[in-house]
């Protein structure tokens, strides 16, 4: 039995169900909206596992599911040595989001990562602690900033509304995902010109360690 992991709620679940439905595989919740039991019609030998999008990378890497739908950002953030654990089957064309670095719009002289590095050095000299960048994506953002030569900063964890932390004075800048940029603008934030960390979208991934033969479902999907 091939186990297929799909996000358990929200727009990602609806879009994933629609994507599979257009390819002849009907996915549905077997019980009420509060139950995480799935049903598959249109193909034999496939079991639907409903999980949070953030859990799917872990389950793929552990081999507990054979296929999974989740964002590129979550795979890159949560899985070290990911190339030995998972591979992309197909990009699905929804769930588009960019992981970006943004600063207060009033920092008119800070437009690039080089500028951010200079500001961070001045900030530490002035305040005695490092400039804070709030994010949920510590692995990706740390590597991105290190590769860009940005120093004298600290990452602070944000699992809530990251765009609000600057206004609330719990961080000076953010690194978060955005699709339209409207929430950033509403919170008076601006993306750095070279602040794109990663472009992400929902993708169907295959576990390299589960041992399941997914060729039948992949063939059925025509990908």
């Amino acid at each position: 039995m091939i186990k297929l992991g799909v996000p358990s709620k929200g727009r990602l679940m609806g879009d994933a169900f629609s994507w599979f439905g257009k390819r002849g595989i009907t996915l549905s919740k077997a019980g009420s909206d509060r139950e995480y039991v799935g049903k598959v019609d249109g193909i034999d030998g496939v079991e639907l596992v409903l999980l949070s999008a953030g859990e799917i990378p872990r389950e793929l890497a552990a081999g507990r599911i054979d296929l999974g739908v989740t964002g590129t950002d979550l795979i890159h953030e949560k899985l070290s040595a990911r190339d030995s654990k998972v591979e992309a089957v197909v990009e699905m064309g929804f769930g588009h989001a960019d992981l970006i670095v943004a600063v207060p719009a009033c920092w008119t002289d800070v437009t690039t990562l080089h500028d951010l590095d200079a500001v961070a050095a001045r900030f530490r000299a002035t305040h005695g602690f490092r400039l804070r960048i709030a994010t949920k994506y510590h692995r990706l953002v740390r590597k991105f900033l290190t590769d860009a030569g940005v120093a004298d900063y600290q990452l602070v964890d944000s699992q809530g509304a990251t765009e609000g932390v600057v206004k609330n004075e719990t961080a000076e800048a953010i690194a978060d995902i955005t699709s339209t940029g409207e929430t950033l603008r509403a919170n008076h934030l601006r993306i750095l010109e070279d602040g794109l960390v990663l472009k992400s979208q929902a993708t169907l991934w295959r576990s390299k360690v589960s041992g399941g033969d997914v060729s039948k479902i992949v063939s059925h999907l025509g990908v």
Side-chain angles (χ1 to χ4, degrees):
M1 183 70 73
I2 295 300
K3 292 186 176 182
L4 167 65
V6 171
S8 58
K9 58 185 177 181
R11 180 176 293 179
L12 276 180
M13 184 188 75
D15 287 345
F17 281 16
S18 177
W19 188 91
F20 280 94
K22 290 175 182 177
R23 290 157 179 82
I25 297 176
T26 302
L27 307 180
S28 60
K29 281 192 172 183
S32 70
D33 286 343
R34 293 181 180 274
E35 294 181 85
Y36 297 115
V37 179
K39 182 181 178 184
V40 181
D41 292 305
I43 190 171
D44 295 328
V46 179
E47 176 185 349
L48 178 60
V49 181
L50 294 170
L51 302 161
S52 73
E55 291 174 315
I56 289 173
R58 181 193 67 204
E59 297 303 291
L60 285 165
R64 289 187 287 266
I65 59 176
D66 304 287
L67 292 166
V69 176
T70 193
T72 314
D73 57 326
L74 294 174
I75 290 288
H76 282 240
E77 172 64 21
K78 292 180 177 291
L79 299 185
S80 59
R82 61 184 175 276
D83 290 343
S84 66
K85 298 172 182 175
V86 299
E87 68 175 350
V89 176
V90 62
E91 293 179 332
M92 303 176 78
F94 60 87
H96 292 278
D98 295 339
L99 176 59
I100 54 82
V101 177
V103 299
C106 60
W107 291 11
T108 55
D109 58 343
V110 181
T111 60
T112 67
L113 290 166
H114 178 76
D115 298 333
L116 181 64
D117 181 52
V119 165
R122 292 199 301 270
F123 185 93
R124 187 178 187 183
T126 301
H127 298 282
F129 63 93
R130 293 180 176 180
L131 182 144
R132 299 164 296 178
I133 302 174
T135 189
K136 305 176 183 71
Y137 298 89
H138 291 247
R139 183 198 304 272
L140 283 169
V141 173
R142 184 176 292 107
K143 182 179 186 307
F144 178 75
L145 294 176
T146 298
D147 290 348
V150 179
D152 282 333
Y153 70 91
Q154 59 177 317
L155 297 182
V156 295
D157 194 49
S158 173
Q159 296 300 325
T162 303
E163 296 90 348
V165 298
V166 174
K167 182 179 179 181
N168 294 331
E169 299 183 350
T170 54
E172 287 68 51
I174 72 164
D176 200 17
I177 57 170
T178 183
S179 52
T180 66
E182 291 182 8
T183 305
L184 293 172
R185 289 188 289 273
N187 285 277
H188 308 292
L189 298 170
R190 175 173 42 80
I191 302 171
L192 294 178
E193 292 174 0
D194 52 355
L196 176 63
V197 181
L198 179 73
K199 296 186 76 67
S200 179
Q201 67 171 292
T203 299
L204 179 63
W205 302 86
R206 179 183 76 85
S207 171
K208 288 186 173 182
V209 299
S210 71
D213 182 0
V214 301
S215 57
K216 180 180 177 182
I217 184 172
V218 170
S219 176
H220 186 106
L221 293 169
V223 297

